Amino acid sequence: MRIGELAARAGTTTRALRYYEARGLLPARRAGNGHRTYDESDLRLLTQIRTLQDFGFELEETRPFVECLRSGHPEGDTCPASLAVYRRKLAELDSLIGELQAVRATVGAQLVRAERARDALAVEARFPGGPEPTCGLGGTGR
């Protein structure tokens, strides 16, 4: 198949295919007329690349999976290098999850503190001479 057909079937652009070719992820085969030619195995490579990128893998991280497919492994992720990338990505995700949990805990604590402060201002406002709770944006705290 030609580059336009492969791009359409893979759900990408011809520009992306040329980029993958330049990066050595997609083979650069040419027909006698100079047109790029591709087959079903190239579609499989692209599907693997796109799936991994959808999961947050950087383009270079897909290389071991592509090489694994090219070497004849049907899934592309059973080679030692692919498994190592999976392990690194999981460690990266675990770290990000930990950071997000810490941020969430901080935001949650800030919300509790802010709600208590708002409630305290509301109680004081019920007594003559107490402050009227106001929002920094000009509205009331109620």
Side-chain angles (χ1 to χ4, degrees):
M1 72 187 93
R2 292 183 50 186
I3 193 168
E5 182 183 350
L6 180 62
R9 288 184 63 192
T12 190
T13 64
T14 57
R15 183 177 179 190
L17 298 185
R18 288 186 196 102
Y19 180 70
Y20 297 158
E21 181 183 308
R23 298 288 306 264
L25 293 169
L26 190 63
R29 292 184 301 273
R30 302 240 179 210
N33 60 7
H35 292 281
R36 290 173 171 87
T37 61
Y38 302 96
D39 59 26
E40 293 299 319
S41 67
D42 299 319
L43 180 59
R44 187 165 175 91
L45 290 176
L46 285 172
T47 301
Q48 182 83 337
I49 291 169
R50 305 255 319 164
T51 299
L52 291 168
Q53 286 192 298
D54 288 347
F55 292 155
F57 287 71
E58 298 293 326
L59 184 59
E60 194 56 34
E61 290 176 312
T62 69
R63 187 173 301 280
F65 298 88
V66 168
E67 291 171 358
C68 192
L69 279 171
R70 282 186 186 156
S71 69
H73 294 265
E75 296 302 319
D77 63 358
T78 56
C79 296
S82 300
L83 296 171
V85 172
Y86 275 152
R87 286 185 192 99
R88 280 193 307 270
K89 184 55 78 175
L90 282 174
E92 178 185 321
L93 291 170
D94 287 342
S95 175
L96 289 172
I97 289 168
E99 291 172 23
L100 287 172
Q101 287 174 329
V103 169
R104 187 191 188 292
T106 300
V107 171
Q110 286 295 97
L111 174 61
V112 168
R113 183 209 46 81
E115 287 174 336
R116 286 181 181 153
R118 180 211 52 207
D119 294 345
L121 286 173
V123 167
E124 290 176 19
R126 290 187 196 133
F127 297 101
E132 177 64 26
T134 58
C135 176
L137 298 176
T140 64
R142 296 179 187 149

